[in-house]
Amino acid sequence: MARWAIAIHGGAGVDPNLPEHRQEEAKRVLARCLQVGVDLLRAGATALDVVEAVVRELETDPCFNSGRGSALTRAGTVEMEASIMDGRGRRCGAVSGVSTVKNPVSLARRVMDKSPHSYLAFDGAEHFAREQGLEVVDNSYFITEENIGMLKLAKEANSILFDYRIPLAGADTCSALAAATENLNSNGMVMNGLPISIYAPETVGCAVVDSDGFTAAATSTGGLMNKMTGRIGDSPLIGAGTYACGHCAVSCTGEGEAIIRSTLARDVAAVMEYKGLPLQEAVDFCVKERLDEGFAGLIAVSGTGEVAYGFNCTGMFRGCATEDGFMEVGIWE
């Protein structure tokens, strides 16, 4: 039998000045969701069932940007997206533009298992969710007071730019952004056009290999704060934000446009397959060589039970566990 392993994340790009109590809250949520996965794996659950269950837990908690607590569009609404992939046969399912489905990752699973397609979006995805009897809620369920305030700051910062790496230091910002701009000037970090002190992590995800050596990955997000309605990021795109095969399973997070351009998740598997690199070396290579000035991170497991992660920005909410008893939750290097 193979050794099982699990890795999870709650987004890359963390404000170095994030208050201690918020750091501890995030780590508690990660630890709880990680334990859900560990318990399922110990009970013999499949990798596919585990990644769906863990991401559902992350979607339900408003601590991260997926499901409840998702980032808001310019119109103040929520448009969520998710994907799931089974390393056995590389089956996959994905959804975008979901606005009422309580757990988008489960809708992505239904697209994979119960439809002839791999990807549904907007009205078609919503209609399919109702056909399948998935739980739906009003769009207001996903909106938090904190994110309403973050949207206001993002609009004042004019944050979503065609080139989201343009520094905001010279931009006209109101007094509410003074502290954020000061932080930007001091560390130079911008994520998706937002000073790191305003930017909220984009994504949650999970990658698993089970005791039979089968892999799976799932990723879910509310996208960018102040994004244009209809914007689609990397999270639902197989090969960009999510990938699973016999070599590994990968879930990515960060600047979606950079992840899309680099086909980051698939590239980890490709360098393992074609260059013969072990998992951590493959992750390090892709984070260093493939992002072209973009900021991102990823988690990964191999088909033999290794876990790995990498990021080129200030921190990534993450956790991992292996069958031999190792368990870790962290944010920084």
Side-chain angles (χ1 to χ4, degrees), residues 12 21 30 87 89 93 127 130-131 157 178 197 202 215-216 244 246 257 261 275 326:
H21 74 276
L30 288 169
H127 180 70
R130 285 159 175 79
E131 282 186 343
S197 55
E202 293 181 53
T215 67
E257 281 68 15
R261 291 195 303 269
K275 291 175 69 72
F326 175 78

Side-chain angles (χ1 to χ4, degrees), residues 12 20 80 88-89 105 117 155 186 191 240 243 268 301 309 329:
E20 189 70 27
M80 300 167 291
R88 277 187 295 182
V105 70
H117 307 302
K155 286 184 174 182
S186 65
M191 292 283 285
Y243 196 73
V268 173
V301 300
Y309 65 85
V329 171

Side-chain angles (χ1 to χ4, degrees), residues 299-322:
I299 55 167
V301 300
S302 73
T304 56
E306 302 164 296
V307 293
Y309 65 85
F311 53 93
N312 65 352
C313 47
T314 56
M316 180 171 70
F317 296 108
R318 65 190 186 276
C320 62
T322 59

Side-chain angles (χ1 to χ4, degrees), residues 72-76 148-160 172-174 177 194 198 225-227:
L72 306 180
T73 68
R74 289 180 181 177
I148 292 173
M150 295 289 281
L151 177 62
K152 181 175 184 292
L153 289 178
K155 286 184 174 182
E156 289 164 346
N158 191 27
S159 64
I160 302 305
D172 257 343
T173 57
C174 69
L177 285 173
L194 282 170
I198 298 177
M225 188 66 70
N226 197 31
K227 66 184 180 181

